[in-house]
Amino acid sequence: MVGKTARDTLAAARRLADAATGAVERAIEAVAKLTDGGKAIDDQQVRAERIAQRATEARAARELVAYGERRASAGRPDELAQAQALAYAAEVAHALRGEAEADPAAFPPDPALDEAELRDLVRAGLAEAHVRSIGERVLAARGAHGTELDDPVATLTRDSARDFAKTEVVPIAQEMHRQDHLVPEALIQKMAGLGLFGSSVPESHGGTEMGYLTMVVLTEELAAASLVAGSLITRSEILTRALVQGGTEEQRQLWLPRIASGELIVGICVTEPDVGSDVASVQCRATRGDLDGREGWLIDGAKAWSTFAGRANILALLARTDAGAGVRGLSLFIVEKDPFDGHHFQQSQPGGGSITGTANPTPGYRGMHSFTLAFDRYFVPAENLVGGGEGLNRGFYLQMGGFAAGRLQTGGRATGVGQASLEKACAYALDRRQFDRPIAEYQLTQHKIGRMATHVAAGRHLTYAAAREMAEDESASGGMAPAMCKLFASDVAVWVSQEAQLIHGGWGYSEEDPVARYVVDALVLPIFEGVKPILELKIIARQLLAGGA
Ligand SMILES: Cc1cc2nc3c(=O)[nH]c(=O)nc-3n(C[C@H](O)[C@H](O)[C@H](O)COP(=O)(O)OP(=O)(O)OC[C@H]3O[C@@H](n4cnc5c(N)ncnc54)[C@H](O)[C@@H]3O)c2cc1C
């Protein structure tokens, strides 16, 4: 605690977060000069990556502080949130002073960060007793959090999603993972019955259009029980966004109600065996053709890592329709297929077209299976080109619009995995005794839990802030806010799940313990929907440097 009152703690956290933000702005300006406003970013990749990291952390600190301030000004101060805001803002400010020490050309020393008073605040926030006191409080609550949402619908949804996850998901999650089973049809149908697949579909098209914040908290609760359950609606979400933004009205009327009801399960096909982050190089081709006199397109080529592609009834597939036009030669198709539940499938059409799929074995994120797919003259009717004639060669932009919503949702998924890991670690630490005491009573455990909970809270508030920003204006930040929350919360989930595993000692390494599942599940979060270095360089740093030139 800084000074005597909680108000002092919050004021200290605000000063640190503002100073960190100022230092990040100076760094952006410096690296923008070195890269000609980001145009030469590839000559400064390492610095650009650090800019993206530090800017994201500074924003997370501001959001944590802002939450503490909102609670205080509403007359319901949250002392734990205030203590976490101070601890986290101090971490960020401290890291920035380190950057200035190591690389002053990119991170010019900031006089504000060097003021004696500010350095005292950093020490207070990082003080081991301060972080431990956070840990003690979190342990007393067994890791549970009481974050207020200031949104009655989101609050209600979170409560019912938590109950649903406890009764319907938790009992099956571990076996589904261990046996690598496909998620049970009964769970899909129950989620469909609650309207969850239509969470982004407008009410006019049969959905529940619950809004971004509600979608995020729903996802967080489901993902805390099982990453797979929290991921079931992601693909529907991505295609829904693409249809809402760029589909024709006929397409919206045809597809959206069936996606919303869960009648159609969606797979996404962007990645290829030789094409990952460089989506402009997509090779899978769509050429004009027909089947039984019906006009359309023939799909040829391979796709990789298409999650749930076996069970899916429709695939949102990005294919090349113009050989020489980079991103401007790609179109988005809705490919209809039958659902399959094994690790292999083959679908044939009367005209000889086929799709063959084989699931890639993975250590985690099981339950949906991610497939390598081979398309051979597979026919897609003309009306399944998203956007109709206008959509020709606009597929990249439609797909990327969908990915922004997917990344926001992944902020929620990652927060759920982080929260589950934290709660599991607290429960274990309180029960496990070594050297005659519960391990929760040891200083090191309390300190670890304090930091883990603080980082989970920072990721949560960054994600909620991105949801609010996108609700106000979908394109406000050019996709930077959802990229930042996905980047940050995914790293938190990886780190916190590994810390939680360590707190479990050898028992955390047992396949029987859910914490071992959290660890392998979390590892995928920084990979899909834009692998971490690509989000840092091509989305976050690029925009920051263009604005800071
Ligand atoms: C379990 C799982 C499920 C998935 N589900 C889907 C799905 O449903 N649909 C789908 O389409 N895809 C899916 N993906 C694919 C995922 O989106 C890709 O793996 C991801 O986009 C990265 O592509 P890549 O794996 O080819 O990596 P690459 O693009 O080859 O990148 C690998 C590494 O190379 C380096 N690198 C690449 N480019 C640069 C650069 N310009 N500058 C600096 N370094 C660079 C980075 O270190 C990067 O991490 C899934 C992946 C997994 C693992």
Side-chain angles (χ1 to χ4, degrees), residues 231-252:
S231 304
L232 275 176
I233 62 175
T234 310
R235 279 144 297 283
S236 307
E237 174 78 26
I238 291 172
L239 179 57
T240 294
R241 289 287 157 196
L243 281 167
V244 168
Q245 282 165 19
T248 63
E249 186 47 34
E250 293 76 38
Q251 288 172 336
R252 287 195 276 264

Side-chain angles (χ1 to χ4, degrees), residues 42 45 235 238 266-279 303-309 316 318 360 362-366 368-371 399 403 407 486 523-534 537-538:
D42 280 345
Q45 281 201 342
R235 279 144 297 283
I238 291 172
V266 181
I268 302 289
C269 300
V270 176
T271 307
E272 300 182 355
D274 294 327
V275 179
S277 307
D278 184 13
V279 177
K303 289 287 174 184
W305 291 108
S306 181
T307 300
F308 225 19
L318 196 64
N360 309 313
T362 55
Y365 197 50
R366 294 168 172 177
M368 284 190 288
H369 306 153
S370 299
F371 285 78
Q399 187 74 65
F403 271 143
R407 285 178 191 138
K486 195 257 181 191
L523 289 173
V524 77
L525 295 164
I527 297 175
F528 53 30
E529 289 170 347
V531 69
K532 181 177 165 182
I534 297 299
L537 296 179
K538 304 239 176 240

Side-chain angles (χ1 to χ4, degrees), residues 21-61:
T21 302
V24 165
E25 281 165 4
R26 287 165 75 97
I28 291 170
E29 211 174 299
V31 177
K33 281 199 187 108
L34 293 173
T35 57
D36 188 16
K39 289 191 200 87
I41 199 169
D42 280 345
D43 298 338
Q44 296 286 343
Q45 281 201 342
V46 177
R47 283 167 163 165
E49 192 230 21
R50 288 218 306 276
I51 291 279
Q53 282 282 345
R54 300 299 177 221
T56 302
E57 290 162 8
R59 180 154 182 193

Side-chain angles (χ1 to χ4, degrees), residues 81-336:
Q82 292 174 1
Q84 289 177 327
L86 176 62
Y88 189 66
E91 264 192 42
V92 178
H94 182 60
L96 280 158
R97 290 190 67 226
E99 294 282 17
E101 191 69 31
D103 186 5
F107 288 85
D110 189 335
L113 280 183
D114 262 339
E115 283 171 17
E117 202 189 325
L118 206 107
R119 287 161 65 177
D120 283 346
L121 297 182
V122 168
R123 278 186 212 107
L126 294 180
E128 60 90 25
H130 177 70
V131 179
R132 259 195 300 122
S133 81
I134 295 173
E136 282 175 284
R137 278 177 274 180
V138 171
L139 278 159
R142 298 184 84 82
H145 73 100
T147 310
E148 289 189 5
L149 295 167
D150 299 326
D151 180 326
V153 178
T155 307
L156 210 65
T157 305
R158 182 175 64 186
D159 294 347
S160 43
R162 198 170 285 176
D163 289 344
F164 179 82
K166 271 206 185 92
T167 53
E168 305 291 344
V169 183
V170 170
I172 60 168
Q174 195 62 12
E175 274 315 285
M176 187 168 71
H177 165 72
R178 291 190 67 196
Q179 308 303 329
D180 196 13
H181 286 152
L182 202 62
V183 65
E185 203 54 35
L187 180 63
I188 297 178
Q189 294 316 323
K190 278 178 193 151
M191 286 177 60
L194 294 172
L196 302 187
F197 291 100
S199 57
S200 295
V201 175
E203 284 179 21
S204 56
H205 291 80
T208 45
E209 203 181 12
M210 44 177 76
Y212 281 122
L213 183 62
T214 306
M215 182 268 281
V216 160
V217 295
L218 161 73
T219 301
E220 184 182 330
E221 294 303 327
L222 292 172
S226 149
L227 178 60
V228 170
S231 304
L232 275 176
I233 62 175
T234 310
R235 279 144 297 283
S236 307
E237 174 78 26
I238 291 172
L239 179 57
T240 294
R241 289 287 157 196
L243 281 167
V244 168
Q245 282 165 19
T248 63
E249 186 47 34
E250 293 76 38
Q251 288 172 336
R252 287 195 276 264
Q253 282 181 17
L254 178 66
W255 299 109
L256 291 179
R258 299 171 71 198
I259 293 173
S261 69
E263 177 197 335
L264 296 179
I265 296 295
V266 181
I268 302 289
C269 300
V270 176
T271 307
E272 300 182 355
D274 294 327
V275 179
S277 307
D278 184 13
V279 177
S281 304
V282 156
Q283 299 294 313
C284 183
R285 290 190 319 277
T287 46
R288 290 188 196 270
D290 60 83
L291 181 67
D292 295 336
R294 221 174 148 193
E295 295 281 301
W297 299 85
L298 297 172
I299 310 291
D300 281 287
K303 289 287 174 184
W305 291 108
S306 181
T307 300
F308 225 19
R311 169 61 182 83
N313 316 78
I314 50 175
L315 303 173
L317 178 134
L318 196 64
R320 182 153 299 286
T321 38
D322 184 334
V327 286
R328 290 190 194 82
L330 300 174
S331 302
L332 185 62
F333 293 91
I334 295 179
V335 178
E336 295 166 83

